[in-house]
């Protein structure tokens, strides 16, 4: 499973990237707002830091404008992946940009029907939003299973990029289902390491080691 980080925070990306844990990055207009930086500048910086795809989202409504924005964003670096919304205009832009050889991430997916359309439009990635479905009392994870089944039935190569990840369980469940990628805030990825029995065990080993009076170095 590939790990993308869902942030435009350079320091947070760098910290995980130095551990070899970052296979890509996703951003969106809300994350650009949060960064307080210009999209071109922060995207260029992320692309220089990370080898994998870096999603940068278009904001136009019409396909031709999305295509123009996508081509412009793609000039920032070779690893820019153009992110388009799951609308008919977004899918038209997806088809054109994909045919030009660009990577395209189709975002704001909330149904398997939408995911099927994105695959037909040649999307590199489909981004189903788990947390936002959970927010309205639906089972976000069911969408990941449904898309996995449908894509596998027909051998679609579009990668399932599980997004709107809010918990460690979201990551583990998406991994069990076989999502190709998760994108999560760095804080959630970092909290994957936490287990009380690890802390307890370490405290015990530390106490016992002190009693031996030994040193390794
Ligand atoms: O990748 C999509 C993600 O940024 C949305 O997450 O938590 O705002 O639903 P959230």
């Amino acid at each position: 499973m590939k790990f993308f980080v869902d942030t435009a925070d350079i320091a947070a990306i760098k910290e995980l990237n130095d551990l070899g844990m970052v296979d890509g990055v996703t951003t969106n207009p809300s994350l650009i707002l949060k960064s307080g930086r210009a999209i071109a500048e922060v995207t260029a910086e992320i692309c220089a830091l990370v080898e994998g795809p870096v999603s940068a989202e278009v904001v136009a409504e019409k396909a031709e404008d999305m295509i123009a924005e996508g081509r412009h964003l793609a000039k920032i670096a070779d690893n820019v992946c153009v992110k388009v919304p799951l609308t008919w205009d977004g899918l038209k832009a997806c088809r054109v940009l994909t045919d030009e050889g660009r990577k395209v991430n189709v975002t704001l997916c909330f149904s398997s029907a939408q995911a099927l359309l994105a695959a037909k439009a040649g999307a590199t990635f489909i981004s189903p939003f788990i947390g936002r479905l959970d927010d309205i009392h639906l089972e976000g994870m069911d969408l990941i299973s449904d898309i996995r089944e449908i894509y596998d039935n027909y051998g679609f190569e579009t990668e399932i990029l599980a997004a709107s990840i809010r918990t460690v369980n979201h990551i583990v469940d998406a991994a069990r289902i076989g999502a190709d990628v998760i994108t999560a805030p760095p804080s959630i990825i970092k909290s994957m390491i936490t287990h009380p029995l690890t802390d307890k065990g370490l405290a015990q080993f530390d106490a016992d080691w002190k009693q031996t009076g030994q040193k390794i170095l």
Side-chain angles (χ1 to χ4, degrees):
M1 164 175 269
K2 287 180 260 190
F3 276 15
F4 288 5
V5 280
D6 198 29
T7 186
D9 178 335
I10 299 287
I13 295 168
K14 192 169 183 326
E15 185 184 0
L16 285 169
N17 195 48
D18 287 349
L19 287 166
M21 301 237 174
V22 176
D23 301 302
V25 174
T26 51
T27 65
N28 60 38
S30 307
L31 293 171
I32 296 296
L33 172 68
K34 201 170 163 191
S35 77
R37 300 187 58 193
I39 184 169
E41 183 194 271
V42 75
T43 304
E45 206 172 321
I46 298 169
C47 287
L49 200 60
V50 170
E51 269 184 36
V54 175
S55 289
E57 190 159 341
V58 301
V59 293
E61 280 181 28
K62 296 279 173 228
E64 67 215 50
D65 300 328
M66 287 186 200
I67 293 163
E69 286 183 354
R71 287 175 181 152
H72 187 74
L73 289 170
K75 280 190 207 145
I76 294 173
D78 287 346
N79 53 337
V80 165
C81 173
V82 180
K83 207 177 192 186
V84 301
L86 220 158
T87 60
W88 283 115
D89 283 284
L91 293 182
K92 275 185 215 163
C94 175
R95 172 49 66 199
V96 170
L97 294 167
T98 297
D99 287 348
E100 290 175 358
R102 305 181 203 279
K103 283 191 189 319
V104 179
N105 177 358
V106 178
T107 190
L108 290 167
C109 172
F110 293 97
S111 78
S112 45
Q114 290 178 322
L116 187 48
L117 289 176
K120 298 288 285 179
T124 315
F125 300 104
I126 182 68
S127 290
F129 276 32
I130 299 168
R132 292 193 194 184
L133 284 168
D134 290 353
D135 287 345
I136 58 164
H137 313 297
L138 294 172
E139 285 296 327
M141 205 53 66
D142 288 352
L143 177 58
I144 305 297
S145 315
D146 290 349
I147 300 172
R148 181 75 282 157
E149 182 182 349
I150 290 167
Y151 282 8
D152 288 350
N153 280 347
Y154 298 98
F156 283 117
E157 288 178 5
T158 299
E159 293 188 48
I160 302 173
L161 197 173
S164 188
I165 294 267
R166 307 273 179 75
T167 66
V168 169
N169 283 351
H170 278 162
I171 297 177
V172 174
D173 291 345
R176 292 185 70 206
I177 291 165
D180 302 284
V181 192
I182 55 95
T183 189
S187 59
I188 302 291
I189 293 175
K190 286 173 74 178
S191 67
M192 290 171 77
I193 202 161
T194 307
H195 198 290
L197 291 180
T198 303
D199 297 341
K200 190 179 169 196
L202 199 54
Q204 182 70 58
F205 287 156
D206 192 44
D208 290 347
W209 181 249
K210 283 195 176 96
Q211 283 198 58
T212 69
Q214 297 179 41
K215 285 193 172 165
I216 291 177
L217 287 174

